[in-house]
Amino acid sequence: QVQLVESGGGLVQPGGSLRVSCAASGSIDSITVMGWYRQAPGKERELVARITRGGSTNYADSVKGRFTISRDNAKNTVYLQMNSLKPEDTAIYYCNAHGVLIGAPYDDWGQGTQVTVSS
């Protein structure tokens, strides 16, 4: 349905900033919500932030005020700007696209990008 490619992860010191990107291709018009999830070692995957087709956003409590999700429709790309990073933000960050195609809902995932917050 949709192909997602993340980029921009890496190593950053506590208090630093990083931006990850997710480029979408394929059945773009079928996407209703795009989001960022993360999974730390030994933990379940959790929602970080998401943005609807209409532009509404919501965030996990743990990242409110520090992370911002945005999108560039012309580039079919969603961004996650992460500021004031903490060691507990260390995880693999996955891009997700949720949509409906030919009446059937779907969820597609990117391959993930590693974000490590450490001094």
Side-chain angles (χ1 to χ4, degrees), residues 58-80:
N58 65 291
Y59 298 88
D61 288 342
S62 59
V63 306
K64 282 181 181 177
R66 299 189 299 122
F67 290 12
T68 302
I69 188 170
S70 62
R71 66 185 187 192
D72 183 334
N73 290 334
K75 296 182 178 180
N76 295 324
T77 299
V78 172
Y79 304 98
L80 184 68

Side-chain angles (χ1 to χ4, degrees), residues 47-64:
L47 173 68
V48 177
R50 58 187 175 192
I51 184 167
T52 69
R53 182 186 293 170
S56 298
T57 59
N58 65 291
Y59 298 88
D61 288 342
S62 59
V63 306
K64 282 181 181 177

